[in-house]
Amino acid sequence: MDLDFTTEQNTFRESVSRFLTNECPFDKVRQLEESAQGYAPDLWPKMADLGWFGMSFPEAYGGFGGEFMFTVILQEEIGRACFPSPFFSTVIQCGLTILAGGTEEQKKDLLGKIFDGSLIMALAQYEEEASYLPTGIRMRAVAQGDRVVLNGTKMFVMDANIAHKLIVVARADPGITLFLVEAKAPGITCSKMPTIGMDNCCRVIFEDVRISQKEVLGQPGKGWEVLEKMAPKATVAKAAEMVGGCKGAIDLTVRYAKEREQYGKPIGSYQAIQHFMANMALAYETGWSYLYKVASMIDADEDFSVEASVLKSAMDENAKFISERACHIHGGIGTAREADIGLFFRRAKAFSTLMGDTDYHDNKVAEALLKGLPDLT
Amino acid sequence: MDFKLTEEQRALKLAFEDFFREEMKQAPETTGGLEALLASEESWKFHRTLGKKLGEKGWLSRPWPKAYGGCDAPIVEQQLFNEVRAKYRAPGVDPWGVEMFAPTVLIGGTEEQKKRILPPIAKGEVHYCQGWSEPNAGSDLASVRATAFKAGDYYIVNGQKIWTTGAHFADHIFLLLRTDSSSRRNAGLSVFYCQKDLPGIEVRPIQYMNGKHVYNEIFFTDVKIPEANRIGQEGEGWGLTRETMNFERSGIGYFAGAKTVLAELVRYVKNTERDGKALSENPLVRQRLAKLYRDIELGIALSYMGAWTQHKGNAMRAVTMASMAKVYGTELNQRLATAATEAMGLYGQLEQSDWAPMGGSMIDAFQMAIGMNIAAGSSEIQRNLIAWVGLMLPRTK
Ligand SMILES: Cc1cc2nc3c(=O)[nH]c(=O)nc-3n(C[C@H](O)[C@H](O)[C@H](O)COP(=O)(O)OP(=O)(O)OC[C@H]3O[C@@H](n4cnc5c(N)ncnc54)[C@H](O)[C@@H]3O)c2cc1C
């Protein structure tokens, strides 16, 4: 057991944090959110140059072969800075999906382009029912000669508006299959959905979209298995972003509570405020500790699927509690669009719905618990 | 960062496991909490017997310096020991002697005192109780009024202590007393210990709300305590007492113990039918279980992180993490007992009886949880510390 970060990990965290603070202060975050593109095209290649995208991917595909811990650190810092980018959709969701299920050729080709920043991707999974389960996939892919025709509507597709390529989850003859589709292919209409997180969630309508049979990601019929391989890691990465968000919200609130005076004293000297903030700090500290326990399980190649659910459920609740109180402690200004603290509040809600919400993960944990966990017999 | 145990640590954990698994086969029927230790003569006897065995193995004094019978065990190893012991809900470690008074003596005692006081604690031969609280000094401990005035090489002690857990069984008591009659608050306090059966000491039982005899009040009338039993300088007892408070370890026990209880609860809901199906099929019950498991898991990670921080000598952060583990752990046990008794429905109100599910342990835990949220610094006091020390928020008096 060694619960210190390595020098390399610390240096990496510092460099990420420096980059984000310099390149994207909260004012800029708000500008980016409001923009049609929802991200900073000028920063994206810089991030690629810093080696962030291939950080935790195998060297065989052009990655750096680093531990997943690095991605966790990166996500935590991204969360702390509320930094908007297609990193999660492209590198985490699509990158890990390709790594888990792509053919050797697809891995070499697509991952390489993701790592050098030239390819932005989006995962088109959820539909109108907004279910996290395989039963939620209704979209059909029908073979017609050497082509496949896609018809249906995908919802909450993050970054579809800026993506070059989509991974589309659809029902085909042998079962749920993943298809690689050009985002601008004829028959596709994309429009943004006004989510609270302003994270480029899109509705994507497919009308007789024709693609080649070769555009299957990995094996036909194995789509859901591949998604399930990607999901726990992506869940941990999303939770890491939420942990960072909690830290960011607490830091802003501590600063504010020391500066803002009422009745002649800083509001942070009042016990009602102090106790809420103690609870916030405690919630953060538990989530943070557990995040790194799970991250080290991933790097030790242990089964962490239950832990990923435990973590996400915890972070959904912690982020909700912390961001809500953080806004409240800011008083009136905390409710204004211009307030930085609102960035955290809005993201906490948005993120709690991604990669499975609290009920979904609690249910997974309950199932595992009732089936019998090794340390609970 | 790496949470994985080394081979050595794993082997150590297995040795602890083997020991407690074997020993607990002889345990009297107890619920494993503080009250179980004191529940009966029989359980107290088992606690002492197990304590002696732990003493023989040197496991009570592992974290102490080698010079005083310890082996300088890193705190992570102590954490493993506490985790396994809590998992088996095993007694055997005197929380006051081993975990509070001995470390205090190590810091503030003279060489002679260390040689005299520590070995019997390490061997599990003597048991202590903690004489801090008074009727008018609880959270505000610095306002204690019981006095110790010097008369030759003795101090004459007068006053009252209250809520003294286990005083009816303990051999010794450690005390925070006022040695300067003109002093106020934290100036003029000193730390002492004495045998509990000295002339002039009277112990009166107070019943806990569940009817059990857990704590007591103690009256001191002209009790003579030798000067040699004062730890540290006269008048400097407050600083030393603050150190003692920090020895409440990282709190892994709250969480590992809770896990064992949760496992029992899982068995209970699987084997209990209502409405023609097992309780474990009820979505509300399932959700509660999941959230409890989640909170326990997070608590364990927190307490490891806290122990590590202590190990690294980051004192301020360690104090904060200890307060966090205390408030989170005790409140979690309260949630656990509440959830369990609620899942039991009407049966959840039964105290020990043949009808009571899980041997009535959950209704006991339900009542004890209130006390645990108050003892050793209430949740409010812990939150104050987190805010002041952890977040550096301004402190107003
Ligand atoms: C089961 C149990 C075992 C115990 N064992 C021992 C023992 O072995 N030895 C011993 O010496 N003592 C023992 N105690 C006593 C314990 O340390 C005190 O009860 C505790 O410190 C609280 O003091 P009090 O009871 O006087 O409550 P008070 O201090 O009067 O507190 C009453 C309420 O006011 C709140 N409060 C007090 N001050 C503040 C503040 N500054 N800010 C906000 N809220 C505040 C408290 O949180 C509490 O809710 C035990 C208590 C219990 C319940």
Side-chain angles (χ1 to χ4, degrees):
Chain A
M1 184 174 293
D2 179 355
L3 305 189
D4 286 327
F5 289 107
T6 62
T7 315
E8 218 187 340
Q9 288 163 348
N10 278 327
T11 314
F12 178 65
R13 183 189 294 279
E14 277 158 33
S15 79
V16 174
S17 164
R18 206 174 321 115
F19 177 87
L20 294 176
T21 328
N22 292 341
E23 300 280 355
C24 198
F26 290 132
D27 288 351
K28 180 155 180 192
V29 171
R30 261 193 304 276
Q31 279 169 23
L32 290 177
E33 280 190 341
E34 308 272 357
S35 71
Q37 287 184 308
Y39 84 118
D42 57 323
L43 296 184
W44 188 250
K46 287 192 193 174
M47 291 158 70
D49 287 348
L50 287 166
W52 291 2
F53 301 165
M55 201 76 203
S56 304
F57 284 80
E59 283 162 285
Y61 308 117
F64 291 99
E67 297 152 327
F68 195 69
M69 187 83 66
F70 285 101
T71 295
V72 168
I73 291 171
L74 177 57
Q75 275 290 93
E76 198 195 339
E77 292 304 314
I78 286 177
R80 207 157 67 88
C82 292
F83 180 68
S85 82
F87 178 75
F88 186 75
S89 49
T90 301
V91 180
I92 308 272
Q93 285 183 307
C94 294
L96 290 176
T97 302
I98 294 163
L99 184 68
T103 62
E104 276 305 299
E105 209 186 321
Q106 285 167 335
K107 287 189 215 180
K108 287 216 168 86
D109 173 36
L110 296 171
L111 290 178
K113 287 179 188 152
I114 286 180
F115 300 160
D116 72 21
S118 60
L119 178 64
I120 292 177
M121 291 187 73
L123 176 65
Q125 176 179 339
Y126 307 138
E127 298 184 18
E128 273 152 320
E129 196 183 88
S131 159
Y132 304 107
L133 304 173
T135 48
I137 309 296
R138 305 258 173 84
M139 181 164 170
R140 299 215 55 94
V142 178
Q144 269 185 13
D146 61 348
R147 314 243 94 191
V148 175
V149 182
L150 299 169
N151 272 295
T153 300
K154 290 287 177 181
M155 306 284 275
F156 304 99
V157 188
M158 244 192 307
D159 298 313
N161 58 326
I162 51 172
H164 305 109
K165 245 186 220 306
L166 309 173
I167 296 178
V168 180
V169 189
R171 263 176 210 286
D173 210 0
I176 293 177
T177 302
L178 306 178
F179 296 95
L180 289 161
V181 183
E182 291 300 315
K184 301 275 173 317
I188 291 184
T189 334
C190 174
S191 52
K192 274 222 231 183
M193 300 174 76
T195 54
I196 184 172
M198 303 176 88
D199 43 9
N200 280 341
C201 272
C202 299
R203 180 179 68 162
V204 186
I205 301 171
F206 295 77
E207 275 175 309
D208 289 332
V209 176
R210 282 160 205 283
I211 56 173
S212 140
Q213 291 267 21
K214 281 188 292 203
E215 297 303 322
V216 169
L217 181 67
Q219 288 174 23
K222 298 269 185 242
W224 195 257
E225 284 161 49
V226 173
L227 290 178
E228 290 217 300
K229 272 193 210 154
M230 169 276 294
K233 272 193 184 177
T235 303
V236 172
K238 189 41 82 179
E241 194 174 349
M242 299 173 88
V243 169
C246 290
K247 176 72 173 141
I250 290 174
D251 286 349
L252 279 189
T253 309
V254 168
R255 197 177 338 135
Y256 189 75
K258 285 181 184 166
E259 281 167 7
R260 173 72 175 170
E261 293 195 356
Q262 287 294 290
Y263 300 97
K265 281 186 206 157
I267 56 168
S269 69
Y270 297 115
Q271 203 177 36
I273 300 285
Q274 291 185 346
H275 281 195
F276 264 118
M277 293 184 62
N279 289 344
M280 290 153 69
L282 172 54
Y284 162 72
E285 213 60 69
T286 50
W288 184 83
S289 305
Y290 195 69
L291 168 66
Y292 283 97
K293 178 197 153 148
V294 182
S296 67
M297 285 177 82
I298 297 179
D299 288 327
D301 240 345
E302 292 170 37
D303 179 2
F304 66 99
S305 49
V306 178
E307 283 80 1
S309 286
V310 166
L311 176 67
K312 181 62 166 48
S313 161
M315 288 323 300
D316 287 355
E317 264 175 34
N318 288 344
K320 176 168 74 176
F321 166 68
I322 289 171
S323 64
E324 195 180 282
R325 295 315 305 184
C327 272
H328 179 90
I329 291 170
H330 278 75
I333 187 66
T335 64
R337 186 74 159 195
E338 65 180 83
D340 292 335
I341 196 65
L343 293 171
F344 294 97
F345 179 74
R346 292 189 281 107
R347 275 171 176 69
K349 177 66 188 170
F351 292 173
S352 72
T353 66
L354 292 173
M355 298 312 302
D357 60 13
T358 326
D359 289 350
Y360 169 83
H361 285 292
D362 280 350
N363 196 41
K364 282 198 151 190
V365 174
E367 248 165 52
L369 205 51
L370 290 163
K371 231 187 264 161
L373 289 169
D375 58 344
L376 258 187
T377 42
Chain B
M1 180 177 301
D2 187 1
F3 266 81
K4 213 159 132 195
L5 299 181
T6 61
E7 283 306 320
E8 257 178 11
Q9 289 164 341
R10 221 190 311 248
L12 195 59
K13 198 171 174 185
L14 283 180
F16 298 146
E17 290 263 358
D18 289 342
F19 175 83
F20 285 113
R21 193 185 312 106
E22 209 40 51
E23 292 297 328
M24 285 307 280
K25 288 180 185 157
Q26 282 115 57
E29 274 211 18
T30 58
T31 55
L34 187 59
E35 81 284 14
L37 209 74
L38 308 164
S40 63
E41 296 276 349
E42 193 198 7
S43 52
W44 180 256
K45 214 173 120 200
F46 181 69
H47 168 56
R48 290 197 81 128
T49 311
L50 198 56
K52 285 218 179 95
K53 288 189 185 172
L54 288 169
E56 272 162 32
K57 289 191 153 293
W59 287 355
L60 294 175
S61 52
R62 294 181 78 255
W64 305 0
K66 290 208 175 75
Y68 304 106
C71 53
D72 276 317
I75 203 151
V76 176
E77 290 183 6
Q78 199 52 29
Q79 179 88 346
L80 290 175
F81 174 76
N82 293 340
E83 182 176 349
V84 175
R85 188 170 75 86
K87 173 178 163 188
Y88 286 91
R89 314 205 82 211
V93 177
D94 173 16
W96 299 283
V98 171
E99 290 174 347
M100 297 182 88
F101 191 56
T104 308
V105 172
L106 280 169
I107 288 188
T110 63
E111 205 47 41
E112 183 277 324
Q113 285 175 327
K114 290 177 190 169
K115 293 214 172 90
R116 166 160 52 97
I117 298 170
L118 296 176
I121 297 179
K123 288 188 201 129
E125 287 168 359
V126 292
H127 287 251
Y128 280 76
C129 61
Q130 173 198 17
W132 282 1
S133 305
E134 295 181 9
N136 290 310
S139 301
D140 185 11
L141 185 61
S143 61
V144 290
R145 282 200 292 210
T147 55
F149 295 134
K150 202 146 173 213
D153 49 3
Y154 278 89
Y155 282 84
I156 308 290
V157 175
N158 279 288
Q160 185 196 342
K161 294 287 171 185
I162 196 169
W163 314 125
T164 324
T165 303
H168 47 310
F169 286 130
D171 312 297
H172 292 321
I173 180 167
F174 61 88
L175 294 156
L176 182 65
L177 299 170
R178 194 163 294 280
T179 37
D180 174 357
S181 57
S182 64
S183 69
R184 294 195 57 230
R185 300 200 52 79
N186 53 5
L189 302 177
S190 306
V191 172
F192 293 88
Y193 88 99
C194 71
Q195 277 162 268
K196 198 202 66 193
D197 53 7
L198 292 181
I201 296 183
E202 190 199 345
V203 177
R204 290 188 206 155
I206 307 177
Q207 268 191 354
Y208 195 76
M209 63 166 93
N210 58 3
K212 294 201 173 146
H213 183 183
V214 173
Y215 43 42
N216 308 270
E217 47 187 348
I218 309 192
F219 296 85
F220 293 80
T221 315
D222 294 332
V223 177
K224 283 167 79 178
I225 299 184
E227 184 178 0
N229 287 8
R230 191 195 68 229
I231 313 296
Q233 296 303 310
E234 184 179 296
E236 292 179 5
W238 183 248
L240 199 53
T241 298
R242 292 280 297 268
E243 299 267 9
T244 312
M245 291 176 190
N246 287 338
F247 296 129
E248 298 172 308
R249 292 289 166 181
S250 57
I252 184 82
Y254 302 119
F255 309 110
K259 215 167 200 181
T260 304
V261 173
L262 183 65
E264 278 180 53
L265 180 59
V266 167
R267 268 197 294 280
Y268 169 76
V269 300
K270 278 171 143 175
N271 296 324
T272 306
E273 283 202 359
R274 205 173 292 154
D275 245 358
K277 34 180 204 278
L279 275 181
S280 56
E281 286 173 49
N282 178 330
L284 297 175
V285 170
R286 295 163 69 96
Q287 190 185 38
R288 280 185 201 160
L289 292 179
K291 290 194 190 296
L292 287 167
Y293 179 73
R294 173 193 78 189
D295 294 351
I296 294 170
E297 280 278 275
L298 264 70
I300 289 175
L302 175 77
S303 72
Y304 267 101
M305 207 59 97
W308 187 262
T309 311
Q310 220 171 330
H311 163 68
K312 286 287 167 154
N314 189 341
M316 298 297 254
R317 190 164 150 77
V319 169
T320 313
M321 301 284 273
S323 285
M324 286 182 169
K326 160 67 168 80
V327 48
Y328 187 72
T330 51
E331 292 184 356
L332 170 64
N333 277 312
Q334 188 175 30
R335 290 202 294 283
L336 175 58
T338 303
T341 50
E342 283 174 358
M344 293 167 184
L346 283 168
Y347 286 95
Q349 59 183 318
L350 282 170
E351 298 196 317
Q352 258 114 23
S353 79
D354 290 344
W355 295 303
M358 291 169 69
S361 60
M362 286 296 91
I363 197 69
D364 255 337
F366 178 78
Q367 294 172 84
M368 283 310 293
I370 291 288
M372 292 300 113
N373 288 340
I374 291 164
S378 70
S379 302
E380 285 66 42
I381 301 306
Q382 306 304 332
R383 289 191 167 93
N384 287 348
L385 286 169
I386 297 167
W388 296 335
V389 183
L391 298 173
M392 289 183 288
L393 288 173
R395 196 170 171 157
T396 47
K397 287 262 158 74

